[in-house]
Amino acid sequence: MAHAQFLTGIRVNFDLTFSNKAWVEAERYRFLEFVSSQSTMHCITKFDLNEQYNEYVDPRIIEIMREKVDIYNKLLSIIDRIKHCETENKNEKIKMLEQLEEIRKEKYLEILYSNPAGFLLTARLTTNYRCLRNIYI
């Protein structure tokens, strides 16, 4: 439909909140361009988990996730205190920090891979009217 070409020039920007399960499906399509988005990879321990899950996630799983994030954040606090602690035995401090850092990495991966599919993320998207029109026709 050549007469609809002008619709390509009409840009549409919007925020969309989807579960991480739905985002996997949405990313397959070429009509959406991501401008910015939230990231579980970098920010999962900073979200308010009470607000981040959709209604289909079992409350017991949310509680498990809260526990995992609390443990992780406490571990971060301990690592930070040790880093700023004065000690005469620098080698022991370095060794302890290395061990704690390995534990921290493992705990973070536990959180990432335990996170249920009903975790909600918001992205800023852009597309155009021609793409949107083709979705519905």
Side-chain angles (χ1 to χ4, degrees):
M1 295 188 179
H3 62 278
Q5 182 62 32
F6 79 97
L7 294 173
T8 304
I10 302 172
R11 303 300 294 171
V12 179
N13 299 300
F14 56 97
D15 293 336
L16 183 62
T17 301
F18 256 167
S19 70
N20 56 359
K21 176 68 174 161
W23 279 122
V24 171
E25 300 301 324
E27 288 171 346
R28 297 183 67 219
Y29 298 98
R30 301 281 180 223
F31 65 88
L32 293 173
E33 296 173 42
F34 286 79
V35 176
S36 65
S37 62
Q38 294 176 317
S39 168
T40 53
M41 184 63 77
H42 301 103
C43 300
I44 193 166
T45 59
K46 296 177 176 114
F47 286 107
D48 177 359
L49 297 183
N50 295 323
E51 303 295 322
Q52 215 59 41
Y53 294 104
N54 67 21
E55 67 272 20
Y56 305 110
V57 177
D58 188 314
R60 295 171 298 172
I61 295 170
I62 297 170
E63 186 57 35
I64 290 168
M65 290 303 296
R66 273 197 223 111
E67 288 173 14
K68 289 184 175 300
V69 169
D70 285 346
I71 290 168
Y72 176 83
N73 287 331
K74 286 175 185 169
L75 184 57
L76 276 183
S77 178
I78 291 168
I79 290 170
D80 189 53
R81 277 189 263 144
I82 292 171
K83 282 180 181 178
H84 295 95
C85 178
E86 293 295 323
T87 181
E88 291 187 20
N89 193 339
K90 300 268 188 219
N91 290 334
E92 186 176 311
K93 180 178 173 179
I94 290 168
K95 185 177 178 182
M96 185 183 299
L97 284 170
E98 287 172 351
Q99 291 172 340
L100 288 172
E101 193 59 33
E102 283 303 311
I103 294 169
R104 184 200 64 79
K105 289 176 187 175
E106 289 293 319
K107 294 295 179 191
Y108 200 79
L109 289 173
E110 265 184 38
I111 292 167
L112 282 177
Y113 288 107
S114 297
N115 198 33
F119 191 77
L120 299 174
L121 295 167
T122 300
R124 181 74 171 168
L125 303 169
T126 187
T127 188
N128 63 61
Y129 267 104
R130 187 173 183 195
C131 289
L132 293 176
R133 182 176 178 268
N134 289 336
I135 293 170
Y136 297 105
I137 292 181

